[in-house]
Amino acid sequence: MMLNSIRSRLTAWHVALLGAILILFSVLLYFFLSKRLHEGIDNSLMVSASVVRKTALLEYSRNPLPGLEFFFDQFLGYSNLNKFYRIYDGSGNVGSRSQGMDASQFPLTQAAYMRAIKGLETYETFMVSENDPLRVITLPVIREDTLINLVQVGTSLVGVNETLKNLRFFLFATIPGVLVLSTLVGRFMARRALQPVAKITQAARQIASGADLSRRIPVPEVQDEIGYLAATFNEMMARLEKSFTQMRQFSSDASHELRTPLTVLKGQSELILRKQREPGEYQEVLSSNLEEINYMSRILDDLFILSKSDEAQVPLEYSQVDLKLIVEEVCKHLEILADEKNIKIIMAYLEIVSLKGDAHRLRQMVSTLLHNSIKYTPENGEIKVTLQDMGEYAYFTIADNGIGIPESDLPLIFNRFYRVDKARSREEGGSGLGLCICKHIVDLHHGKIEVESRLKEGTKFKIRLPKTALQNESNG
Ligand code: ADP
């Protein structure tokens, strides 16, 4: 058996272990059974010999005992038919013996006689002939501290040996059979158990060769280790697919957004270079080109932030942030822009709120929202900013009385590059990424951003940010 597959190794281990257990079990079984059978024989010899000894102690014990054969048959039953006995007198001469078997074939040994004098019984095994062992007990009959008789009872061990031989044969015949059967069953079971792994491998190979990331492998109904492997594999594929889709989306968005300014740059540069121009004309084209370059660099910056967010690796730097201070600073900073359009920024209600977060990102979020309000509010408009401490979270709102957003566009404005009025947004220098970045920042702080808007009436953004430590703080 080649052991280069898990299936073969599993089977080999299983069979080796089973073989070792079976052999150990057989050895122990044989040993204990043999011991028990021999003990049983010895016990039965002792019982028989004790009965004879009692008889020998009767009055007429000195003479050859009459009726012992009859006694054996009547009181000890058929189990004694294969036994035979012999009684010696105290000096070692045969006094009486059974007729049934040839008792002369086993001797009274010197060792047994010496032990009998000391009052001890002796068990011995003699080979009467080949394959015919005889177990004999020699029991002393003692009266008033004197050895008056010796009782010997013997029985053949052929029956016991036969039983043990049969057991040996059975074990030698069945163990290899069981091992062969177990190998076959083990291989079959291992193949069945590992079949889903083979399917996973096949699917993985197909995905690798065809790069079809939408493929999933069937998850077995039973949620075992293989089921978890399949589910984990599918999860990994889903993540990979999402990443690839985002990457593709990212590059297509980026190239699409950069194409327009590049076309403008190219067109203007080609046009101006066609003939000799006045210095003023060059200056005009160059400053227009600079605007396009600035626009592109802004898009690239925003895309860079978003690409990092997609990979969930925005390096957040957590600290205790004074949100009120941030809001005030941003409002002050953007007041110049608002003043140009005579827009009033009203800090209607600002409470002191301190929360755990990334000050730089939060500033970016407030700035983007306020900048949007200024961009999309006509002259003489009004922007109201509020900040409240709601206990568990900070509640920040920014409301303008600007152009508003059509209801149908509301669910889409947080999408990447989504603009209600593309021309207007472009005119205002917008990249269509601002709200998308805001949402990412809020999400990273485990907060919530909502928008309410009515066309030509105004727009209100509402943000909730939890104040306590965040789950993914360790990312920062
Ligand atoms: P942009 O760079 O175009 O401003 P944003 O992602 O910041 O991109 O916003 C997406 C779109 O949502 C904008 O193009 C605009 O149409 C709309 N929008 C955002 N804020 C406001 C607002 N305060 N009032 C009206 N429309 C808004």
Side-chain angles (χ1 to χ4, degrees):
M1 185 172 20
M2 296 278 285
L3 292 182
N4 55 0
S5 74
I6 291 184
R7 185 161 57 112
S8 306
R9 279 203 296 274
L10 269 180
T11 312
W13 273 106
H14 158 82
V15 170
L17 198 65
L18 185 69
I21 291 172
L22 278 178
I23 288 169
L24 187 70
F25 170 77
S26 304
V27 169
L28 289 178
L29 174 74
Y30 186 84
F31 175 75
F32 282 115
L33 188 72
S34 159
K35 196 164 174 277
R36 284 295 309 138
L37 287 174
H38 282 105
E39 273 173 10
I41 290 279
D42 285 356
N43 286 343
S44 116
L45 284 175
M46 176 57 111
V47 168
S48 301
S50 299
V51 171
V52 176
R53 175 161 68 174
K54 274 227 161 113
T55 317
L57 280 170
L58 295 174
E59 268 308 303
Y60 47 83
S61 61
R62 278 164 202 278
N63 305 315
L65 294 173
L68 268 181
E69 198 81 29
F70 170 77
F71 179 84
F72 269 110
D73 292 350
Q74 287 299 305
F75 295 96
L76 299 175
Y78 288 102
S79 62
N80 285 284
L81 286 180
N82 61 350
K83 289 202 183 72
F84 47 93
Y85 67 92
R86 194 156 56 172
I87 299 177
Y88 295 87
D89 61 17
S91 50
N93 300 315
V94 177
S96 174
R97 63 184 171 86
S98 65
Q99 307 297 314
M101 292 175 79
D102 188 0
S104 63
Q105 284 171 306
F106 59 95
L108 172 64
T109 61
Q110 184 70 17
Y113 185 69
M114 292 315 287
R115 278 173 63 82
I117 291 173
K118 290 178 197 158
L120 302 169
E121 77 272 10
T122 307
Y123 291 98
E124 290 163 304
T125 306
F126 299 106
M127 289 305 291
V128 178
S129 63
E130 208 186 340
N131 299 328
D132 189 9
L134 201 68
R135 186 73 172 163
V136 175
I137 182 172
T138 304
L139 195 70
V141 184
I142 292 176
R143 187 192 281 160
E144 291 157 8
D145 292 340
T146 317
L147 179 72
I148 55 160
N149 282 125
L150 276 165
V151 177
Q152 272 194 314
V153 180
T155 190
S156 169
L157 289 177
V158 168
V160 172
N161 284 359
E162 195 64 29
T163 307
L164 292 175
K165 197 174 129 194
N166 285 343
L167 179 67
R168 276 198 308 272
F169 176 76
F170 174 78
L171 293 175
F172 278 125
T174 49
I175 289 181
V178 167
L179 289 182
V180 169
L181 193 71
S182 151
T183 308
L184 297 176
V185 173
R187 275 184 77 80
F188 172 73
M189 300 282 281
R191 182 183 307 165
R192 263 188 71 127
L194 292 172
Q195 220 163 26
V197 176
K199 276 190 191 159
I200 293 175
T201 313
Q202 199 186 0
R205 201 170 284 150
Q206 280 173 2
I207 290 165
S209 60
D212 178 8
L213 297 177
S214 65
R215 249 194 86 113
R216 298 289 178 272
I217 47 175
V219 179
E221 269 172 35
V222 188
Q223 274 305 305
D224 53 10
E225 290 86 344
I226 304 285
Y228 282 125
L229 176 65
T232 311
F233 181 87
N234 283 348
E235 265 171 42
M236 184 193 78
M237 286 312 299
R239 269 197 74 126
L240 268 178
E241 192 186 8
K242 193 172 162 218
S243 280
F244 265 73
T245 315
Q246 279 173 342
M247 257 172 63
R248 220 173 283 146
Q249 181 72 31
F250 178 81
S251 39
S252 99
D253 286 350
S255 60
H256 182 259
E257 288 303 317
L258 292 173
R259 196 173 303 130
T260 316
L262 275 172
T263 313
V264 174
L265 269 178
K266 188 168 178 265
Q268 284 184 340
S269 307
E270 279 172 356
L271 194 71
I272 198 88
L273 288 171
R274 256 187 219 157
K275 56 178 183 171
Q276 199 68 31
R277 309 268 180 186
E278 291 298 310
E281 282 180 275
Y282 285 117
Q283 203 165 3
E284 201 182 305
V285 168
L286 278 176
S287 66
S288 161
N289 283 359
L290 189 64
E291 247 176 56
E292 296 300 335
I293 289 166
N294 284 338
Y295 174 71
M296 285 194 291
S297 94
R298 223 172 14 252
I299 285 186
L300 285 175
D301 284 348
D302 288 350
L303 277 175
F304 183 65
I305 292 172
L306 281 177
S307 74
K308 287 206 153 187
S309 309
D310 286 346
E311 294 161 21
Q313 47 159 263
V314 184
L316 285 193
E317 281 164 28
Y318 285 96
S319 61
Q320 207 59 36
V321 176
D322 182 348
L323 198 56
K324 182 180 180 229
L325 193 71
I326 288 181
V327 173
E328 283 173 340
E329 277 176 7
V330 172
C331 289
K332 212 164 162 212
H333 187 70
L334 291 182
E335 231 166 32
I336 311 157
L337 266 182
D339 282 348
E340 282 175 11
K341 292 171 82 175
N342 200 26
I343 292 172
K344 241 194 264 163
I345 299 175
I346 304 166
M347 287 181 261
Y349 186 77
L350 292 189
E351 268 183 358
I352 296 174
V353 190
S354 168
L355 59 85
K356 202 110 192 262
D358 184 322
H360 173 69
R361 301 279 171 212
L362 291 172
R363 190 187 303 271
Q364 186 182 10
M365 176 197 78
V366 176
S367 173
T368 305
L369 292 173
L370 189 59
H371 204 160
N372 274 356
S373 285
I374 298 170
K375 277 195 293 189
Y376 302 110
T377 299
E379 290 192 359
N380 306 317
E382 216 176 69
I383 299 168
K384 258 190 209 148
V385 182
T386 71
L387 176 66
Q388 279 171 276
D389 185 343
M390 306 295 274
E392 298 262 293
Y393 58 91
Y395 184 57
F396 169 66
T397 67
I398 176 160
D400 60 56
N401 58 355
I403 60 170
I405 302 166
E407 212 180 322
S408 55
D409 290 286
L410 280 179
L412 306 168
I413 54 165
F414 294 105
N415 289 356
R416 196 176 291 191
F417 292 115
Y418 192 83
R419 282 162 277 199
V420 177
D421 180 345
K422 198 154 177 140
R424 175 162 188 161
S425 159
R426 179 95 166 79
E427 224 171 76
E428 303 281 356
S431 65
L433 294 170
L435 285 182
C436 182
I437 292 174
C438 280
K439 181 153 174 18
H440 269 295
I441 293 172
V442 174
D443 285 347
L444 285 168
H445 285 81
H446 298 272
K448 214 171 168 192
I449 182 165
E450 285 170 335
V451 60
E452 270 172 20
S453 187
R454 288 185 88 98
L455 213 52
K456 292 187 185 141
E457 283 184 25
T459 306
K460 182 176 186 181
F461 284 93
K462 301 186 285 187
I463 292 120
R464 287 160 197 268
L465 294 169
K467 284 160 63 181
T468 42
L470 302 165
Q471 274 174 351
N472 58 352
E473 203 168 321
S474 53
N475 291 353

